[in-house]
């Protein structure tokens, strides 16, 4: 593995096996080439935010873009629709959906949330739901999802229940028990829960949620519909939509599945109301079903939706394909997480089995990270002064609850490190050393504001 | 001349783009297709594609840094360029979206809230032309009608001889609303209609709407910018949208939505909601989740490109108009037909009657004929079916919409002329085309 050899610019073959089989897989040097457009001196340990796309897929994308520009009318009439259908079929198989018409391609999870929530809002406006019927979401839901609930549900008269999950977390049981408790509270004054929105992998702080179990609980509790926001899932954890059992499931393909920005799939389980789900941008395809509506929302560049076959070719160059990539990313990020926690004398935010290709690592309490602003400042400081790109999380301690401590005080800040195929040991050592330097220099977050 | 000191050097005239450079800028177009449908999907010169690529690579190189430091200033630069181009004072009136369809959905969703929140009442009307673009009609259905509104359609006379014919029909529609006691909440009409394509006297229609107490006026100027004069102060509408990738050389895709400052402007929202929700439509539109925003960030470079042409965008518009009218008349003469409207009602597109013997007798025929022209003759052009009216004797039922853009040459139109003449010679009819 590349981490056992110090980076010295030499190409190292993956694995210590010298069997002939390994030579047909992508090499370390190939990988470096594929991601040579990344900034060479930045320790890019934030794949979770904006993802990454290899050179060969970008080339395939360019080819499609030039095809359109060369003769757009012919492209529209002869190439576009079939190309999107081909991508949808690949995704249907990847996620174990029954029918390709359960799979729509949209720009990103944020768009998918608007699609589902717009329908919920309409149900309130049209009197199908009563005022004060409710939508349930996680307290740490992605900010765009929270705002979408405000824009479509609250505005239309619906109410919201927030489920506060524990963090740091030690087991799935903690999440399940907290979730059950919140539903009880939510239903306590006779409110009907019309929709539950559950992350598959929360964004900040990042943890894998036991969605299958939570969906089952939702069904038992009579929650009408469940929407799983799995923005980070595909390419990072196993995705089996039938097993998860939700009504809606969305995941971004540009985060962990090497697609160029941007494309996501929205899975909608077939039901009596499927035909009433619409893309908010209306075109002449309105009424032909969400997958067809989403395949044409006016003149735009659809090339990122058309390169899914090229992406599949790319991942299959790796040993074990996407499964192999997922496993190695997970193993490495846990290893790096432990290395950082040990060096800083801190903790991991969740056990390895609840961390996919990302993990939360506590920052030394001496950094005194006490606000969201501190987190933003530290992040910018690491980018500008240390060439390290990593998101920072401010852990708000609950009243009366004892937080986790290191030798100097309470741990109030975490980094979320990612591992993707282009990462090297050096990236994490750079982060390790940067934090150690700041601590050694006696720098707290407040002191960084001036720099 | 005889050894006296040389005169002071004349400062060099600004060099305009040469014909050879224009050919080079569009060398990625299919070389053997007569591409006379710029109105369909627009075009983008190579130098702008290169700029766009640079921006795409900047993002891919270090996306976080781009997100935190580049996107907002870049979007603001683009919006300021547009603000000046369309003559409005406030940059917060200018939002950048993907395309006119998106802009239409944004405005119509706002109308739907009007019904849901009790500001509008069931039956309140919208007035629109019967030939409004497909996505606009569907958006009205999806948002306005579904929320309880009604629709009054204005027939667009075609072929046309003057603006008056349009104005009369529009007045009648407003009168119809008045007679049926329906409050008109929204008038939505094109600046340049798509099919059939004519320039609508928007300023006059806006005046009529204001007189009649129409609540909101929304102009779908999808073909507007780069094709006709787009001056927000002069036109006076509440909302105006135009695609930048059709006639303004932007890569796919970018459009602007102008929203006149009003007590309502802050309650207009983008349909895709992010953490920017509530910061005003312009700001909301700058970030609708992770995506490629490069087409929206090259607008300053687009302006530089058009300014390489003599007269800038105004020069381009004028030459395109003159070119398309000349070509339209050439075709009409060759085929023994006529133009769909007088030249001053044409933009950079013109409708030309097709010989009646071709038998364009339905919408399906138009698709089939278009495909046939593409596949057999290498001609890309839009075809329109104009249903005959009761009592008409021998009207033309088939028209073509030709476009003219800087990359077009006379040969493109000759190719089309000859293709149609060939079909006529071969006694071709649309009915003979196989079902697809």
């Amino acid at each position: 593995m590349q981490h056992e050899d110090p980076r010295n610019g030499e190409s190292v073959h993956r694995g210590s096996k010298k069997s002939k089989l390994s030579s047909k897989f992508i090499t370390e040097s190939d990988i470096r080439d594929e991601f040579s457009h990344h900034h060479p001196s930045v320790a890019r340990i934030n794949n979770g935010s904006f993802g990454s796309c290899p050179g060969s897929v970008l080339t395939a994308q360019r080819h499609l873009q030039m095809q359109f520009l060369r003769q757009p009318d012919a492209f529209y009439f002869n190439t576009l629709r079939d190309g999107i259908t081909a991508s949808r079929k690949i995704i249907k198989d990847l996620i174990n959906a029954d029918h390709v018409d359960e799979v729509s391609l949209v720009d990103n999870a944020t768009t998918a949330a608007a699609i589902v929530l717009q329908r919920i809002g309409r149900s309130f406006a049209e009197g199908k739901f009563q005022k004060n019927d409710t939508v349930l979401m996680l307290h740490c839901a992605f900010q765009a999802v929270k705002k979408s609930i405000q824009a479509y549900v609250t505005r239309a008269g619906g109410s919201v229940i927030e489920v506060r999950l524990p963090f740091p977390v030690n087991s799935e049981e903690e999440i399940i028990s907290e979730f059950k408790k919140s539903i009880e509270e939510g239903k306590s004054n006779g409110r009907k829960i019309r929709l539950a929105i559950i992350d598959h992998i929360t964004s900040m702080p990042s943890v894998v949620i036991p969605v299958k179990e939570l969906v089952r609980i939702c069904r038992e509790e009579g929650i009408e519909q469940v929407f799983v926001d799995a923005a980070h899932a595909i390419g990072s954890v196993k995705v089996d939509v039938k097993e998860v059992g939700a009504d809606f499931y969305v995941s971004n393909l540009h985060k962990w599945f090497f697609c160029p920005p941007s494309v996501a799939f929205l899975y909608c389980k077939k039901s009596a109301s499927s035909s009433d789900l619409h893309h908010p941008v209306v075109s002449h395809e309105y009424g032909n079903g969400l997958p067809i509506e989403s395949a044409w929302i006016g003149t735009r560049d659809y090339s990122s939706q058309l390169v899914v076959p090229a992406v599949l070719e790319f991942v299959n160059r790796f040993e074990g394909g996407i499964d192999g990539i997922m496993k190695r990313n997970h193993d490495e990020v846990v290893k790096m997480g432990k290395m950082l926690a040990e060096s800083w004398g801190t903790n991991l935010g969740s056990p390895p089995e609840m961390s996919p290709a990302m993990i939360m690592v506590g920052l030394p309490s001496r950094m005194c990270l006490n606000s969201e602003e501190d987190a933003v400042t530290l992040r910018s400081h690491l980018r500008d002064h240390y060439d390290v790109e990593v998101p920072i999380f401010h852990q708000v301690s609950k009243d009366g609850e004892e937080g986790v401590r290191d030798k100097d005080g309470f741990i109030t800040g975490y980094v979320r490190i990612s591992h993707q195929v282009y990462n090297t040991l050096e990236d994490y050592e750079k982060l390790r050393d940067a934090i150690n330097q700041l601590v050694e220099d006696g720098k707290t977050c407040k002191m960084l504001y001036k720099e | 001349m005889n050894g006296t000191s040389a005169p002071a050097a004349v400062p060099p005239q600004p060099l305009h783009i040469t014909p050879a450079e224009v050919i080079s800028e569009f060398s990625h177009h299919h070389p053997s297709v007569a591409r006379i449908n710029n109105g369909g999907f627009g075009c983008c010169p190579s130098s702008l594609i290169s700029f766009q690529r640079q921006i795409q690579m900047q993002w891919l190189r270090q996306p976080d840094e781009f997100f935190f430091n580049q996107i907002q200033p870049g979007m603001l630069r683009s919006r300021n360029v547009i603000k000046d181009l369309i003559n409005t004072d406030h940059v917060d009136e200018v939002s950048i979206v993907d395309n006119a369809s998106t802009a239409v959905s944004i405005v119509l969703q706002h109308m739907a809230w009007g019904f849901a929140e009790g500001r509008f009442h069931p039956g309140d009307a919208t007035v629109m032309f019967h030939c409004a673009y497909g996505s606009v009609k569907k958006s009205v259905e999806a948002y306005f009608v579904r929320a309880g509104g009604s629709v009054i359609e204005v027939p667009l006379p075609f072929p046309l001889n003057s603006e008056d014919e349009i104005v009369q029909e529009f007045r009648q529609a407003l009168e119809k609303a008045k007679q049926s006691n329906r409050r008109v909440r929204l008038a939505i009409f094109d600046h340049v209609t798509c099919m059939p394509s004519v320039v609508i006297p928007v300023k006059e229609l806006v005046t009529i709407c204001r007189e009649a107490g129409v609540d909101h006026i929304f102009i779908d100027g999808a073909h507007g910018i780069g094709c006709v004069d787009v001056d927000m102060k002069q036109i006076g509408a509440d909302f105006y949208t135009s695609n930048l990738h059709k006639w303004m050389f932007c890569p796919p895709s970018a459009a602007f939505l102008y929203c006149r400052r009003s007590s309502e402007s802050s309650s207009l929202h983008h349909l895709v909601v992010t953490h920017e929700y509530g910061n005003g439509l312009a700001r909301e539109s700058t970030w609708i989740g992770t995506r490629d925003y490069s087409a929206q960030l090259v607008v300053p470079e687009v302006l530089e490109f058009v300014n390489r042409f003599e007269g800038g965008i105004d020069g381009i518009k004028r030459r395109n108009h003159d070119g398309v009218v000349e070509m339209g008349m050439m075709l009409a003469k060759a085929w023994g037909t006529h133009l769909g409207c007088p030249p001053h009602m044409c933009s950079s597109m013109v409708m030309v009657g097709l010989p009646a013997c071709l038998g364009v007798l339905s919408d399906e025929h138009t698709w089939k004929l278009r495909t046939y022209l593409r596949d057999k003759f290498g001609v890309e052009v839009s075809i329109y079916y104009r249903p005959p009216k009761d009592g008409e004797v021998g009207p033309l039922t088939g028209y073509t919409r030709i476009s003219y853009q800087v990359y077009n040459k006379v040969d493109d139109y000759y190719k089309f002329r000859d293709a149609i003449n060939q079909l006529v010679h071969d006694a071709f009819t649309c009915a003979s085309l196989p079902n697809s």
Side-chain angles (χ1 to χ4, degrees):
Chain A
M1 294 292 286
Q2 59 186 347
H3 298 296
E4 286 160 20
D5 287 302
R7 296 270 302 142
N8 54 10
E10 290 169 41
S11 122
V12 175
H13 281 289
R14 184 164 284 275
S16 54
K17 288 186 276 192
K18 301 272 194 277
S19 71
K20 283 188 185 150
L21 281 174
S22 61
S23 62
K24 72 178 185 193
F25 295 123
I26 194 169
T27 65
E28 294 305 323
S29 150
D30 290 336
I31 294 173
R32 271 200 300 279
D33 277 343
E34 287 282 8
F35 295 97
S36 57
H37 53 277
H38 286 192
H39 196 303
S41 58
V42 169
R44 184 168 165 149
I45 40 188
N46 186 26
N47 195 75
S49 280
F50 301 109
S52 55
C53 182
S56 50
V57 173
L58 291 173
T59 301
Q61 185 191 23
R62 291 230 171 107
H63 181 74
L64 286 157
Q65 287 166 336
M66 292 316 292
Q67 251 190 285
F68 177 82
L69 293 168
R70 183 173 161 85
Q71 209 187 351
D73 304 73
F75 191 90
Y76 171 78
F77 287 110
N78 304 334
T79 304
L80 181 62
R81 178 83 74 91
D82 288 346
I84 292 187
T85 303
S87 292
R88 287 165 55 214
K89 283 188 171 144
I90 289 174
I91 291 160
K92 163 193 157 291
D93 291 337
L94 275 171
I95 68 175
N96 191 28
D98 280 334
H99 308 279
V100 73
D101 45 359
E102 290 176 317
V103 178
S104 302
L105 295 185
V106 295
D107 275 353
N108 43 47
T110 301
T111 305
I115 289 173
V116 175
L117 288 165
Q118 192 185 51
R119 186 167 87 167
I120 298 286
R122 202 170 267 144
S123 297
F124 279 100
E126 294 175 351
K128 291 198 193 90
F129 294 171
Q130 275 62 61
K131 291 276 178 281
N132 224 29
D133 279 354
T134 203
V135 167
L136 181 147
M137 69 177 197
L138 302 183
H139 171 72
C140 60
F142 194 59
Q143 183 65 350
V145 174
K146 289 187 165 186
K147 289 290 188 179
S148 215
I149 292 173
Q150 187 188 334
Y152 288 113
V153 176
T154 317
R155 184 172 178 180
S159 66
V160 184
I161 299 169
E162 282 191 9
V163 177
R164 196 173 260 274
L165 295 184
F167 185 80
V169 67
N170 297 305
S171 71
E172 288 184 351
E173 280 64 45
E174 288 177 32
I175 291 182
I176 292 168
S177 124
E178 200 54 53
F179 191 75
K180 276 186 178 154
K181 228 186 331 171
S182 289
I183 295 185
E184 288 311 311
E185 280 169 24
K187 287 166 65 180
S188 61
N189 42 8
R191 287 189 294 185
K192 184 153 175 61
I193 305 178
R194 295 291 183 175
L195 177 76
I197 303 178
I198 311 170
D199 296 61
H200 192 155
I201 300 172
T202 50
S203 178
M204 276 301 220
S206 185
V207 168
V208 178
I209 303 291
V211 281
K212 189 174 162 195
E213 188 59 26
L214 296 193
V215 170
R216 197 187 55 74
I217 292 168
C218 287
R219 302 293 184 209
E220 277 172 7
E221 298 286 343
I223 293 177
E224 237 173 48
Q225 294 197 305
V226 183
F227 174 24
V228 173
D229 174 5
H232 286 274
I234 191 152
S236 149
V237 292
K238 177 182 158 200
V239 172
D240 183 328
V241 292
K242 287 216 293 252
E243 208 187 61
V244 167
D247 300 284
F248 310 104
Y249 187 106
V250 63
S251 191
N252 287 328
L253 292 153
H254 51 264
K255 268 199 203 291
W256 294 96
F257 208 75
F258 304 105
C259 272
S262 68
V263 53
F265 71 82
L266 172 57
Y267 160 82
C268 305
K269 190 153 74 159
K270 266 195 174 173
S271 77
S273 56
S274 301
S275 61
D276 195 29
L277 209 62
H278 296 286
H279 198 290
V281 175
V282 177
S283 77
H284 64 272
E285 297 287 7
Y286 181 75
N288 291 337
L290 183 65
I292 301 299
E293 289 184 13
S294 304
W296 184 257
I297 50 173
T299 301
R300 314 183 337 146
D301 181 354
Y302 293 89
S303 60
S304 53
Q305 299 185 0
L306 298 166
V307 290
V308 177
V311 168
L312 204 60
E313 267 183 47
F314 174 76
V315 304
N316 286 335
R317 287 167 64 192
F318 288 77
E319 191 176 347
I322 192 63
D323 290 335
I325 291 173
M326 290 196 298
K327 181 176 187 323
R328 287 186 295 274
N329 279 342
H330 168 72
D331 291 345
E332 286 306 314
V333 90
V334 168
K335 195 163 146 195
M336 294 299 105
K338 285 176 171 168
M339 182 270 285
L340 292 170
E342 200 182 329
S343 174
W344 299 337
T346 60
N347 64 331
L348 295 181
S350 55
E353 65 272 14
M354 294 179 74
S355 316
M358 298 183 290
I359 197 163
M360 306 296 291
V361 186
L363 283 166
S365 63
R366 281 169 62 183
M367 301 226 57
C368 300
L369 197 149
N370 294 325
S371 67
E372 193 51 45
E373 231 186 345
D374 285 351
V376 169
T377 302
L378 176 58
R379 181 176 180 174
S380 300
H381 188 84
L382 287 169
R383 179 186 308 120
D384 298 339
H385 295 267
Y386 291 93
D387 265 351
V388 171
E389 189 62 61
V390 73
I392 317 271
F393 171 66
H394 168 236
Q395 166 72 351
V396 180
S397 46
K398 282 200 222 179
D399 289 331
E401 246 188 36
E402 277 258 313
V404 177
R405 298 180 60 104
D406 62 10
K407 62 178 171 43
D408 299 306
F410 287 108
I411 292 176
T412 52
Y414 287 77
V415 290
R416 182 188 77 187
I417 58 168
S418 296
H419 187 284
Q420 188 43 296
V421 299
Y422 54 79
N423 284 120
T424 62
L425 172 63
E426 244 187 8
D427 297 330
Y428 307 90
E429 288 175 337
K430 218 164 158 174
L431 170 63
R432 175 197 66 191
D433 298 344
I435 296 296
N436 283 337
Q437 186 70 56
L438 289 170
V439 170
E440 195 181 302
D441 294 345
K443 293 266 163 70
T444 63
C445 287
K446 288 284 178 291
M447 293 162 67
L448 300 176
Y449 282 65
K450 301 178 204 76
E451 295 186 23
Chain B
M1 280 262 303
N2 39 9
T4 52
S5 58
V10 176
Q13 293 299 311
L15 283 170
H16 293 300
I17 193 169
T18 65
E21 282 168 337
V22 173
I23 290 172
S24 170
E25 286 282 7
F26 294 97
S27 56
H28 54 280
H29 286 192
H30 196 303
S32 57
V33 169
R35 185 168 165 150
I36 43 186
N37 189 32
N38 194 74
F41 298 100
C43 63
C44 181
S46 312
S47 50
L48 288 176
I49 296 171
S50 294
F51 270 117
Q52 187 196 18
R53 290 238 168 102
Q54 277 176 43
I55 295 175
Q56 287 166 338
M57 292 318 290
Q58 262 187 281
W59 165 271
L60 293 165
R61 183 175 161 87
Q62 208 186 352
D64 303 75
E65 194 275 334
F66 195 93
F67 172 78
F68 285 110
N69 301 337
Q70 316 286 354
I71 282 218
Q72 290 305 328
M75 287 292 191
L76 189 59
R77 263 197 306 273
S78 290
R79 287 165 55 215
N80 271 314
V81 167
I82 294 165
K83 159 188 153 296
D84 292 337
L85 275 169
I86 67 175
N87 190 25
T88 184
D89 289 332
H90 312 283
V91 75
D92 56 352
E93 291 176 317
V94 178
S95 302
I96 302 186
V97 296
D98 274 351
N99 45 45
S101 297
T102 305
V104 168
S105 289
I106 287 173
V107 174
L108 284 168
Q109 178 177 245
H110 178 63
M111 298 293 133
W113 278 116
F115 285 98
E117 292 173 338
R119 290 188 297 282
F120 301 170
H121 309 293
D124 283 356
T126 180
V127 172
M128 59 190 273
F129 281 105
H130 87 283
C131 60
Y133 191 60
S135 68
V136 175
K137 287 189 154 183
K138 289 289 186 179
S139 218
V140 166
E141 182 189 321
Y143 286 111
F144 197 89
V145 173
R146 183 165 179 169
S150 68
V151 180
I152 298 175
E153 277 197 351
V154 183
L156 181 79
F158 186 80
L160 270 172
N161 293 308
S162 76
E163 281 105 334
D164 277 340
E165 296 177 50
I166 297 176
V167 171
Q168 283 325 305
E169 290 287 357
F170 199 80
R171 277 195 197 278
Q172 271 176 43
L174 289 177
E175 187 56 34
K176 190 168 162 187
K178 197 168 159 197
Q179 296 294 336
S180 55
N181 266 322
R182 281 184 286 174
R183 179 89 184 256
V184 180
R185 295 295 182 180
L186 175 72
I188 174 169
F189 48 88
D190 299 73
H191 195 157
V192 178
T193 50
C194 180
M195 276 303 222
S197 187
V198 302
V199 178
I200 301 288
V202 289
K203 192 155 176 252
E204 209 172 332
L205 294 192
V206 168
T207 307
I208 293 169
C209 284
R210 297 290 183 214
E211 281 167 5
V214 170
D215 272 15
H216 304 93
I217 304 170
F218 180 18
I219 297 180
D220 174 8
H223 288 275
I225 193 161
C227 187
V228 289
D229 290 340
V230 173
D231 183 324
M232 295 299 100
K233 284 189 193 154
Q234 221 205 28
I235 292 171
D238 298 297
F239 308 107
Y240 187 108
T241 182
S242 189
N243 287 325
L244 294 155
H245 51 264
K246 267 201 204 289
W247 294 96
M248 201 66 189
F249 305 102
C250 252
S253 64
F256 72 83
L257 170 57
Y258 159 83
C259 303
R260 200 159 72 134
R261 262 191 187 178
S262 75
S263 54
E264 275 180 61
S265 341
S266 61
S267 58
L268 242 86
H269 295 287
H270 200 291
L271 307 148
V272 177
V273 177
T274 70
H275 64 276
E276 294 284 7
Y277 182 74
N279 292 336
L281 178 65
R283 182 80 189 202
E284 289 183 11
S285 305
T286 62
W287 184 259
I288 51 171
T290 299
R291 306 178 352 139
D292 180 354
Y293 293 91
S294 60
Q296 302 180 357
L297 295 166
V298 292
V299 176
E301 281 75 26
V302 167
L303 192 63
E304 274 181 36
F305 174 76
V306 306
N307 285 339
R308 287 168 65 193
F309 289 78
E310 192 179 342
I313 193 61
D314 290 332
I316 292 173
K317 280 191 294 204
R318 199 184 56 248
R319 287 186 295 275
N320 281 349
H321 170 76
D322 292 346
V324 85
V325 168
E326 192 185 329
M327 293 298 103
M329 285 174 161
M330 181 273 289
L331 293 171
K333 192 168 174 202
W335 299 335
T337 60
H338 55 249
L339 298 187
C341 65
H344 76 273
M345 291 184 72
C346 301
S347 55
S348 308
M349 298 181 288
V350 87
M351 303 300 290
V352 186
L354 288 168
C357 60
L358 294 182
V360 178
L361 300 173
S362 66
D363 284 329
E364 205 198 333
H365 283 168
T366 66
W367 298 119
K368 285 181 171 178
L369 177 57
R370 180 173 180 176
T371 306
Y372 196 69
L373 285 166
R374 178 187 307 124
D375 296 344
K376 291 284 183 292
F377 292 95
V379 173
E380 189 63 61
V381 75
S382 288
I383 313 284
Y384 170 68
Y385 166 60
R386 186 266 186 197
K389 294 205 183 71
D390 291 335
E392 276 185 328
V393 178
L396 284 183
T397 55
Y399 284 79
T400 180
R401 181 188 79 187
I402 59 167
S403 298
Y404 192 104
Q405 186 45 297
V406 300
Y407 55 79
N408 282 119
K409 340 174 259 308
V410 163
D411 282 342
D412 296 330
Y413 306 87
Y414 288 156
K415 200 167 170 174
F416 185 28
R417 173 199 66 188
D418 297 343
I420 295 294
N421 282 340
Q422 183 71 52
L423 292 177
V424 170
H425 178 267
D426 297 343
F428 165 94
T429 63
C430 288
S432 68
L433 286 168
N435 288 322
S436 48

